[in-house]
Amino acid sequence: MRVNRILLSVALVVVALVIQVSVLARLHLPGAVPDLLLLTVLGLALVYGHVGGALVGFGAGLLADLAPPADHAAGRYALVLCVIGYLAGLARPDNGRLRSATGPMVVVVAAAIGTTLLYAGVGALVGDTAARHVGLPGLLFTAALYDLLLAPFVVPGIMALARRAEHDPLADTNAAAQSPDISSGWLSGGTGLRIGRQRNGLRVKTARARVARAGRIKGVKRL
């Protein structure tokens, strides 16, 4: 990942984690908790692709595993978000721009359900049966509902920031130094055409002046 991607991803993930722990986790909503960290990973994965989505998801999940008041084994949420980020990156548009809101909303619902199922499945493997006592169907419904309601306010903004950060002046300068500049080629070509036209114009003017002089000389001789 490029430097601008890393800096933007770290900043967005840290902000999302702080809001997640300090605000959303204290709302005491029925069922699940709105997952702002998941939406941040989805927004970045839809711009950076599957590889970038997996890396961002792993880093975000690892921070969530280590941040208090985490009550599960470290690496559990990192694995879940890594898989979700990879799968969400596969749905990345070709040009990084969305034509409609239907696709991202489907991705958000699928990611919310998939995250809950994966988290519960990994917990079952390590002996954590909390999801059974709370009720898995209720968690799935509320997780998808909360994330779907929060997504329009989060995902488009994150994608816009990620697309804007894709413009790296240092990378563009290095690329321009290593490869020929197409625009400069067009400019030089246009300049050459203009010079050619100017030379042709001078030749025409010179020929006309010679003809005029010859006519004058002939007129003088006739007189």
Side-chain angles (χ1 to χ4, degrees):
M1 296 180 68
R2 293 187 292 182
V3 177
N4 53 351
R5 287 188 177 187
I6 296 175
L7 294 178
L8 179 64
S9 300
V10 170
L12 292 177
V13 166
V14 170
V15 172
L17 182 61
V18 171
I19 298 176
Q20 179 78 34
V21 174
S22 61
V23 178
L24 297 179
R26 299 182 180 183
L27 294 179
H28 301 292
L29 296 174
V33 177
D35 199 340
L36 182 60
L37 198 61
L38 171 63
L39 297 179
T40 302
V41 172
L42 293 180
L44 294 174
L46 289 175
V47 177
Y48 296 157
H50 58 282
V51 176
L55 294 176
V56 173
F58 179 80
L62 188 60
L63 287 178
D65 290 333
L66 299 177
D71 55 352
H72 54 270
R76 178 177 173 184
Y77 201 47
L79 174 62
V80 172
L81 284 188
C82 180
V83 175
I84 295 299
Y86 179 86
L87 295 178
L90 296 177
R92 174 183 178 272
D94 295 334
N95 56 355
R97 297 181 179 274
L98 300 175
R99 297 181 179 179
S100 65
T102 304
M105 294 300 102
V106 173
V107 172
V108 169
V109 174
I113 296 175
T115 300
T116 306
L117 290 175
L118 284 175
Y119 189 82
V122 176
L125 293 176
V126 297
D128 185 3
T129 59
R132 297 179 182 178
H133 301 290
V134 176
L136 188 58
L139 287 177
L140 293 175
F141 176 76
T142 53
L145 178 62
Y146 296 154
D147 292 344
L148 187 61
L149 293 177
L150 188 60
F153 304 98
V154 177
V155 176
I158 291 177
M159 292 184 66
L161 290 174
R163 286 196 301 266
R164 182 174 299 180
E166 283 294 280
H167 177 68
D168 190 354
L170 295 177
D172 295 342
T173 303
N174 294 332
Q178 295 176 358
S179 60
D181 189 1
I182 298 177
S183 61
S184 63
W186 280 104
L187 290 176
S188 62
T191 304
L193 291 176
R194 290 177 182 176
I195 293 174
R197 292 177 181 176
Q198 291 176 359
R199 291 178 178 176
N200 292 332
L202 291 175
R203 291 176 182 176
V204 172
K205 290 181 180 180
T206 304
R208 290 179 180 177
R210 291 177 179 177
V211 172
R213 291 179 182 178
R216 292 176 183 176
I217 293 174
K218 291 180 179 180
V220 170
K221 290 182 178 181
R222 289 178 182 176
L223 292 177

